[in-house]
Amino acid sequence: MEMMFRFTPLALALFAVGTQAYAANDTAAQAVQTKELDTVQVRGRRLVMETGYKAERSDITGVSTSILDTPYSIDTVTKQQLEDKQPHMLEDALVGISGLHQGNNMAGTLDAVVKRGYGGNRDHSVMRNGVESTQSRSFTATAERVEVLKGPASVLYGVQDPGGVINIVAKKPLYKAENSISATIGNHNMRQVGLDTTGPIGNSGFAYRFIADYLGKEHWREHGSEHSKFRQNVLAPSISWQNDRTKFLAAYEYQNYSVPFDRGTYLDLSPKNKDSVSYGKPIDIPVRRRLDEPFNISKGDAHNLQISGEHKLNNNWTVKGVYGYSRNLYNDWQARIMSYNAATRQVVRRVDGTRPAKHEGQNLQFSLNGLVDQNENITHKLRFAVQAQDNTLSFGDMYRSKNIPGFSIDNPQYVGDSLIASSGTKPNAKDSGQYERMKTAAILVQDNAYIGDKWILSAGLRGQYYRSISGKGYGVNRFRNYSEGFKLLPQIGAVYLLRPDWSIYANYAQSLNPNAARGTDFKGKELPPETSRSYEVGTKYNGKLLSANLALFHITKRNIIGTVDDETRVTGKNRAYGAEIDVNGKITDKLGISANYTYTDTKILENASNPAVVGQAFDSVPEHEAGLTLTYDFGKVLGGNWRVGAGARYIGSWGVGDTRGNWFTLPSATVYNVFATYDTKVGKLPLTVRLTGKNLGNKVHYISSTGSNSTMPFLSIGEPRTVTLGAKLSF
């Protein structure tokens, strides 16, 4: 069986016509009685999206819902938190949320977030406004907040790893004029300038927004005295239209970037050093020294287009439609380290290049959301949805050179661009033409049943079709792997309201991730998809000032592929369980808090392709992580309002394994951060001045491994002390 579908201008036209057709239903809609959801939720006040560090609602389940009323573990990085953190990448924005940390981000070039031990780059988990993003770096100046749903999310989002999903909510046009310009300077020659302007277009019902941002800085690691440069330009226009019943939004973001391709450092696993104190530890050279070349850069352009509309059929029912298109096109070069000789203290390198790489995705969604009164004690909050997606990742020519010996780690002599030609670099027919395409289509039904004023029962069922094609190679070296199927994915949960501001919950969910492999051949077989099951219980509190949640989870993943006797087959099974605590909000009117703790225990249960690793934990997953940030509002001092914050992040020890079953532990680290803001006016114009300091102790710390179970694990190094001073003028 093969299902073919295509997104065309015709599909967009049908979407627009459908929206107008629903708009014609206004007369019938007016005859239907209203039932406010906040009444169902037995709240004494109407919930807002967020206040300061405390979020009360989220859109990540597909509809705007009280976090307290969902059986999912949901966290939000609020607008205020983003302003205080001043992050420049997704992983930094998510610091402070339990259960999350940086994964293998492909030497700093891709978003990669591990969630409850699972996930990494290109794992389908990063969304923009509920639509999967193919951008290498999805977090930009357009982000207003970031929502996180932890645990299997396949019922909501289809093909997923079981750790969870991340939704970046972009800034939208406002119907009140707001304009600002910003500028920031910092060490490492950091420079940022930005413009954000929005407002209504007369009385037409239209509103606009335009965001432009430039960010540039020197990479903190260097080739002798030469630094690589990081650069990111963003242009993001959007327009909206609305009346009493209908909303329409069209948003586009263009991103041009140049990112250092830095694999960090690596573990000394030289057999000659096996009995020395340096064996299994990061190689003993200055942490700032790079052993690649200045041409280790990834350059690209990214486009993201979203068109959405919704119409209220009546006061209880709403129809929504979304079309999303994203494309990321990039090229890169790298001088890759292949081996290390402890006796000579030299490495062997190879020049690699990808020219070009393209990641492209299209997504079409329609949903019908509404309320149905079963009787005076039971109200159903229903969602029906159809979704289709086409996601393609392709690499053109994969350039490879011969191995280049004799590069000293103590006295490196950099060659630069001339190394690409002199090393005999050329396209490799065996590795080139890497290709992975996933087509999916699904039908989804969800029901949240509000029973009396205490119980909320949740159930969802997704019928998921998938077709995957993957492989690589040119000519006689070409192979393709195929996987196709249909699976029903259930989710059930329950929430009990102990009080209007305090609930307990339980949840069971499954996830699905079709097996695809660009680098290994299935030998003509069709392998079953990875499947996961998750059990979760927890409690949530959302009071006037403070919110808190505790979650206990257990996830088991099956049908993990590996290679046995040169044949790729299903060989593995693993599990993760743990506990998460998050606290956000205010202790008093002036004293704010953001605190988190994570305990994660992971284990490889089966691995027929490499039995030596059975019993090991997952690479790059700390058992313990914690964080605490306190803020204080001093009020008006010296002509303006002062606000300060200080925090610490603890990253527990974590390990990485090699292909021989050895396990190496990286040390724990504590990183300290501070910020201070001063709000005043220049004439009548509001001005905010912000001083931010990250890693004040200049602590050397390791974030993740960039090679799982490899013969030579590389380690991503956390940034050193960073200080920035910025200003934002509103007008």
Side-chain angles (χ1 to χ4, degrees), residues 173-242:
L174 302 178
Y175 286 84
K176 177 184 177 183
E178 292 186 7
N179 308 282
S180 67
I181 55 175
S182 62
T184 303
I185 59 173
N187 59 336
H188 310 301
N189 200 27
M190 184 267 189
R191 299 289 187 273
Q192 178 272 333
V193 291
L195 168 70
D196 186 352
T197 178
T198 185
I201 303 176
N203 297 318
S204 63
F206 284 94
Y208 76 93
R209 192 159 197 160
F210 179 75
I211 298 172
D213 190 82
Y214 165 80
L215 174 63
K217 60 181 179 179
E218 294 178 340
H219 189 44
W220 68 275
R221 299 184 75 226
E222 62 183 34
H223 312 89
S225 60
E226 184 175 359
H227 298 264
S228 297
K229 303 293 194 300
F230 170 89
R231 174 184 51 78
Q232 179 177 275
N233 299 298
V234 174
L235 296 173
S238 58
I239 188 167
S240 66
W241 178 87
Q242 68 179 43

